[in-house]
Amino acid sequence: MTLEIDHGILTGRRPDPTAPADYIVVQADASQREAYRRLRRDVFVREQGLFATTDHDRADDDPRTVVLVARSIAGEVLGGVRLHPAPHASTEERDLGWWRGSRLAVRPDARGATGIGAALVRAACAWAESLGALRFDAVVQTQHHPLFTRLGWTTTGDVELQGRPHVALSWPIARVQRLAEATKSPLGSLLAGLGAPQGGAPAPGFWGDDGVPVPGSDLVAACDAILPTMVERDPEWAGWCAALVNLN
């Protein structure tokens, strides 16, 4: 899978750009997935006592789940995180682009200044966007909240899981904004002069609105679009949304 991202965010400590990285974040193969599962058990069951016997859940059985691991140069798995479609009580079979990150775990001797946790979170965000996610969120233990806010996540509320305090957060997906800018902005020259003047100056042609009235006619020029991934996942819903946004 090819990611259109800066792969510099996936490497370990590199104060000197010419120095080799201490680790790199990669998509896990079968053996690395098993090492990640063992690490999770060590962290969430034995170390933290968050689960009684196992932290395995249905996301582990979902074939769409992606596991990313931080691998040392020697090949050891130092940490990992998983991405999977978010569970919905009433629409479990309908994936409309809502993904979730979970089970972030780092080996005790690899924590701290190595930055592995942050590298895994950044990699997960980049991977979620490459998957076409329209929403990406996570529920993390309270002690990890500062890490996520430093990385640009937005806090959405406090929750309790397994009898422990957690925080719900959301990562701002910028892909949709970039897509809008790339596809709508070229329409600016076509719509030039159709907006209201600002302070006597001619209005710019592109404001990012869903539509604009065409002078001298009964027409409205609409420039909204539906993402191809949405059409693939639920054509009927995509068609309804296509009508809705343009009628609005």
Side-chain angles (χ1 to χ4, degrees):
M1 183 176 190
T2 302
L3 297 180
E4 296 180 358
I5 57 176
D6 178 4
H7 285 77
I9 69 172
L10 306 185
T11 57
R13 293 172 293 172
R14 298 187 70 180
D16 178 359
T18 64
D22 296 321
Y23 58 85
I24 187 169
V25 176
V26 298
Q27 184 176 12
D29 58 25
S31 63
Q32 291 167 340
R33 275 179 173 258
E34 183 55 37
Y36 166 64
R37 291 192 186 99
R38 291 196 298 269
L39 173 59
R40 279 172 35 183
R41 287 194 294 271
D42 288 341
V43 172
F44 297 121
V45 178
R46 298 187 179 93
E47 178 186 339
Q48 298 182 358
L50 194 61
F51 301 93
T53 57
T54 179
D55 71 324
H56 183 96
D57 63 14
R58 59 185 175 183
D60 291 313
D61 301 321
D62 190 327
R64 297 168 295 180
T65 295
V66 175
V67 173
L68 304 177
V69 295
R71 174 181 58 79
S72 71
I73 302 305
E76 297 177 291
V77 172
L78 306 175
V81 68
R82 67 181 185 180
L83 297 81
H84 51 87
H88 306 285
S90 59
T91 58
E92 290 180 0
E93 301 304 320
R94 298 177 63 183
D95 169 22
L96 296 180
W98 183 355
W99 282 69
R100 178 162 295 164
S102 62
R103 297 294 195 272
L104 173 65
V106 178
R107 219 168 67 180
D109 61 348
R111 297 171 189 168
T114 60
I116 289 178
L120 285 166
V121 174
R122 290 194 297 267
C125 295
W127 204 277
E129 293 212 22
S130 76
L131 290 171
L134 301 178
R135 174 177 176 178
F136 185 51
D137 61 17
V139 177
V140 306
Q141 296 182 55
T142 304
Q143 64 266 31
H144 301 312
H145 184 207
L147 166 65
F148 282 77
T149 54
R150 284 199 304 271
L151 294 176
W153 287 62
T154 301
T155 304
T156 57
D158 297 322
V159 297
E160 184 175 294
L161 289 177
Q162 301 295 121
R164 307 278 184 89
H166 286 67
V167 180
L169 302 110
S170 178
W171 169 254
I173 296 290
R175 183 177 58 84
V176 175
Q177 178 63 28
R178 292 196 302 270
L179 179 63
E181 292 172 353
T183 56
K184 285 188 174 183
S185 293
L187 296 173
S189 59
L190 301 177
L191 304 179
L194 299 186
Q198 301 293 310
F206 172 68
W207 285 81
D209 294 329
D210 290 339
V212 63
V214 178
S217 75
D218 295 327
L219 301 178
V220 171
C223 53
D224 239 322
I226 300 299
L227 295 174
T229 52
M230 188 174 182
V231 178
E232 294 169 3
R233 288 167 177 155
D234 197 323
E236 183 178 357
W237 175 248
W240 189 90
C241 289
L244 175 68
V245 295
N246 287 290
L247 288 173
N248 281 347

